[in-house]
Amino acid sequence: MTKSAVITTRVSEETLALIDKVARAHGRSRARIIAQAVERFAEQESEFLRYLKEGEDAIYAGQSYSQEQLEAWFAARMRGELPR
């Protein structure tokens, strides 16, 4: 089992009620539902940040298109001049 850490946060009563509703529906503890939510958020946010970094790296390497180039490409495609 992975080591865990205890964190403390404040949530509204409405959010807590939703968490409790989800926990009951899944037969899980409130703590487990919150831990899963935090894990999913951290994983998704980390992946998004990696994706942004990849894009920034491509821009700095000159692997990008200007707004004008993209608009010209899109217009040509809409006119049927490019394969779909």
Side-chain angles (χ1 to χ4, degrees):
M1 183 173 170
T2 305
K3 276 187 149 182
S4 63
V6 175
I7 61 172
T8 303
T9 188
R10 293 182 186 277
V11 296
S12 69
E13 289 183 13
E14 292 83 9
T15 300
L16 187 58
L18 288 172
I19 293 167
D20 287 341
K21 182 178 178 180
V22 171
R24 279 191 306 275
H26 289 282
R28 304 279 184 183
S29 70
R30 176 191 289 172
R32 181 67 185 135
I33 296 301
I34 294 169
Q36 286 178 326
V38 170
E39 288 168 12
R40 286 180 186 157
F41 172 80
E43 289 168 0
Q44 290 171 355
E45 191 69 12
S46 178
E47 178 63 21
F48 181 67
L49 293 173
R50 187 201 58 75
Y51 177 74
L52 289 179
K53 173 94 170 71
E54 186 179 308
E56 289 172 343
D57 290 347
I59 290 168
Y60 295 133
Q63 302 167 343
S64 62
Y65 299 95
S66 70
Q67 180 72 28
E68 292 79 19
Q69 289 171 310
L70 288 173
E71 288 175 4
W73 174 85
F74 186 75
R77 183 168 175 166
M78 295 307 294
R79 289 190 302 268
E81 298 170 5
L82 298 174
R84 291 195 179 251

